[in-house]
Structure formats: structure tokens, C-alpha cells
Amino acid sequence: MARKNVSLKDIAEKLELSISTVSRALKDHPDISVDVKTRVNELARRWNYFSAKDSNNKKNNTTKTIGVVVPNMEKNFYASIISGIEGYAKKEGYFIIIANSRENYETEKECIKNLLKLNVEGLIVCLTQETRDFSHFDIMLSNTIPLVFFDRVCRTNEFSSVIADNADAAKELTLHLFDSGAENIAHITGPKKLYITNERIAGYISALQERNVSYNEANVVHCDLTPTGATKAVYKLLNNKPIPDAIFCMNDTIAYVVMKEIKRHGFKIPEDIAVTGFNNEFHSTIVEPTLTTVLHPTIEFGEETARLLLDQINSENKLAPRQVVMKTKLVVRESSEKQ
């Protein structure tokens, strides 16, 4: 189990070694045996040991840098949020260092470790799809290093976060599909344990309840948010009986794949099957038909995330965690207008 405020003395006493031996082992000193180095580093990792020298030494040597960890830098969604973070940070005299976790839990942990070694004064993190264990964030608490999550969040009782109004947006989008003439609406969503997945499913179900439509489990398909996963998901829906006459997709990228597959199977959009996305990426305006989606205020999202972090960095007292919910906007285009 991880401990807070671990010292070299704690590790030395546990392993029955001298403090100097522990210190040299952590520095990979050649005089220390491989066995001792392994034991020391393993315990340091488990206890989330973080040396004072490497920690956030604001009083003596501020670096004016913050670290940003995103799960996929290739997506416009994250690039736009990063732009908002960078713009606000620069205005306040800070620079950002970006790390790409590539939707991989182990890479996420490595990114955080490496950013802390660079003496960043705080971290902004969006979790990977794989992240289920959040203990690697204990080090932030034990060393009082500010951390703010965005979009995919955890431990909101301990850390600040910025999210979109996912449930409300999903409900509004689903109601729009009903109002446009759809009767059998399906939802291609994300991995089951993602917070935003559950929020959007909740909004979708709320809309069904408001229109007195029974929930059909076969109409909700989870995917890993890759093109391959989206292809499998839409294929599954097209084999439902009856086939859905509208599909609400987790994001715009999924929607583009869905639209391609629907056309390939000989269906028309939106006459046979309406399609909607989420995030309002640039390509939603140039696909055929243009895509109905949800405008995610990504620049403002990034600015608010940076503001929360810098408030913590510049405060002389520890601030209580804050959870900010950003409003979205439904953008209606050709892909959903059945009537």
C-alpha cells in the first residue's frame, strides 16, 4: 500500500539498510549491488517515494512550467484543449510540457514520472481508457504538487477537475433525434468504465424515459473508440432487428466511421438512419452529409483547466478541490434531419 510523506529513513528502516545506502541505490550508484537497488527501488515505487530535491520546490527554484498529459495528441479535440491551456499559461508567464500517454496505462504512469523529474510545478491530466488504478496520483498529494484532471477524471474529492455537461448534452442530442422523426435510437459509446461513457449513457436513457420509450440493451454498444472498434459496433447495430433509425455516436471520429459503413451497406443518411457525433471537430462541416454534433468549448475548457491549476500553484494555502462543469451546445446539421 502507498504511503504519504515517505522519507529515506522510512525505506532504510524497512529494508534494514543505512540511509546512505538507500540514497545511493536510488541514484544508481555503481558501488551498490543490483539486488539492493532492486529492493530499494521497488519499495520506493510502492510507497510513492519522491525526493524533496525532485519535488515542487516553489520557494527556491520555480520552473514556471506545467506538465500536460493527454491520451491521444493526434485528435483535434485534445489539440484544441492544449491550445487553450497553453494560451492561458503563457499569459500568466508559464510554459507547458506535453506528454502523450497513447491510451496506455503504463505509459501514463511513465509520463507523470518523467514530468515530475523535470520539476514541473503542477500537472494537468486526462486519463487513458485503460486507467483503473489511480494510486500513481498519490505522489501528488504526498508532495503537495497541484493536479487538475480534465474530461476523463477520477478522485474528485481530492483533485480539481473540468468536465463537460455530458449527461445533459447526451439527453438534448437524443431528444433532438426523436424530434427529427427517429423512433429507434441506438448509442455507440465508449469503454464501460470511463466516466464520460456512463454520463452520456445516463443522458441517453433520460431522454428515452422522457419520451416513454423502453430501454433496449441491444441498442447500446461499447467500443474502444478506434475506427476498428467503431466498425464492429455499427455492424452489430445493423444486424439488430429492427435496425436503428438513428445512431448517437460517442464522438465525431466514431460518427465518420459509422457514416461510411451505413453508406457501404446501402442505407441513406438521414432518411434511413440518422447519425450524430460529439465534439464538433472540423471535419463535421465537410463530410457528406454534414454532421450534427455537440459543440465542446475546447479552448475555454483548456483555459479553465489551466486557471484552476495556476490558482493552486500561486496560492500560499492549500485550496479545496473544485469541480467545474462546462456547458455545451447542440449543433444541428444535415445528418440528423429526417423530416
Side-chain angles (χ1 to χ4, degrees):
M1 179 179 291
R3 296 186 177 189
K4 295 182 179 181
N5 302 318
V6 176
S7 67
L8 286 176
K9 182 179 178 182
D10 295 327
I11 297 174
E13 289 180 349
K14 177 66 176 178
L15 298 178
E16 298 182 346
L17 299 169
S18 69
I19 293 176
S20 63
T21 297
V22 171
S23 177
R24 286 185 293 167
L26 290 169
K27 295 176 182 177
D28 198 24
H29 195 284
D31 291 345
I32 305 300
S33 70
V34 173
D35 176 66
V36 170
K37 289 178 183 177
T38 300
R39 291 164 55 208
V40 169
N41 279 282
E42 173 61 21
L43 185 60
R45 184 191 64 78
R46 285 195 289 113
W47 283 3
N48 281 323
Y49 169 75
F50 194 63
S51 71
K53 179 181 179 181
D54 293 332
S55 68
N56 181 20
N57 50 1
K58 290 193 288 185
K59 293 183 179 179
N60 301 317
N61 184 28
T62 55
T63 62
K64 289 293 183 178
T65 58
I66 58 178
V68 181
V69 182
V70 295
N72 189 340
M73 290 199 330
E74 296 175 1
K75 287 191 174 182
N76 292 334
F77 174 72
Y78 294 116
S80 185
I81 290 177
I82 288 171
S83 180
I85 292 171
E86 183 177 41
Y88 187 87
K90 185 176 181 181
K91 185 178 66 174
E92 298 297 317
Y94 282 76
F95 297 92
I96 68 172
I97 303 174
I98 307 166
N100 186 7
S101 63
R102 303 182 185 279
E103 295 286 14
N104 181 271
Y105 170 64
E106 292 298 330
T107 304
E108 176 181 277
K109 292 197 296 182
E110 184 180 359
C111 288
I112 291 168
K113 179 181 178 181
N114 290 336
L115 286 169
L116 292 178
K117 285 182 178 179
L118 293 173
N119 287 340
V120 294
E121 295 189 42
L123 283 177
I124 293 173
V125 177
C126 179
L127 300 172
T128 75
Q129 294 182 40
E130 297 181 354
T131 305
R132 303 290 180 268
D133 177 6
F134 311 118
S135 61
H136 53 302
F137 298 113
D138 290 346
I139 194 171
M140 314 301 291
L141 293 174
S142 60
N143 290 277
T144 61
I145 300 171
L147 166 65
V148 176
F149 289 107
F150 73 91
D151 193 47
R152 304 176 187 172
V153 305
C154 69
R155 299 173 66 165
T156 52
N157 60 319
E158 298 171 300
F159 299 108
S160 295
S161 67
V162 180
I163 60 173
D165 59 342
N166 285 287
D168 287 345
K171 180 178 181 179
E172 183 181 11
L173 191 57
T174 307
L175 290 175
H176 160 71
L177 288 170
F178 279 124
D179 291 340
S180 296
E183 298 178 352
N184 183 27
I185 303 170
H187 178 33
I188 296 179
T189 189
K192 292 182 178 181
K193 292 189 178 181
L194 274 185
Y195 174 83
I196 58 174
T197 294
N198 296 322
E199 286 288 288
R200 291 182 192 174
I201 290 176
Y204 164 79
I205 292 175
S206 179
L208 297 182
Q209 292 172 339
E210 184 168 311
R211 296 301 169 90
N212 295 314
V213 175
S214 298
Y215 173 70
N216 180 359
E217 186 176 352
N219 272 346
V220 176
V221 181
H222 294 269
C223 78
D224 61 3
L225 304 182
T226 65
T228 300
T231 300
K232 292 178 180 178
V234 69
Y235 181 79
K236 185 175 182 180
L237 288 175
L238 292 178
N239 280 278
N240 279 358
K241 294 183 179 180
I243 293 174
D245 59 0
I247 302 176
F248 158 30
C249 301
M250 181 71 168
N251 59 41
D252 290 354
T253 303
I254 299 300
Y256 304 148
V257 176
V258 168
M259 293 171 75
K260 177 182 177 181
E261 289 302 308
I262 287 174
K263 292 176 183 178
R264 192 171 71 84
H265 281 78
F267 296 103
K268 294 182 179 180
I269 305 170
E271 292 85 353
D272 298 320
I273 305 175
V275 179
T276 66
F278 204 108
N279 289 344
N280 196 40
E281 294 186 357
F282 168 73
H283 292 92
S284 62
T285 64
I286 59 175
V287 291
E288 177 62 37
T290 55
L291 181 65
T292 291
T293 185
V294 171
L295 173 62
H296 201 300
T298 48
I299 295 294
E300 294 85 351
F301 206 86
E303 291 173 343
E304 185 61 29
T305 304
R307 182 181 296 110
L308 282 180
L309 184 71
L310 290 176
D311 282 350
Q312 293 182 43
I313 290 174
N314 295 319
S315 174
E316 294 186 3
N317 301 311
K318 181 177 174 58
L319 301 179
R322 289 183 55 206
Q323 315 311 320
V324 177
V325 180
M326 304 289 288
K327 289 295 180 183
T328 58
K329 180 182 178 181
L330 177 63
V331 181
V332 177
R333 298 194 181 103
E334 299 166 346
S335 68
S336 64
E337 295 283 29
K338 282 181 166 295
Q339 296 177 344

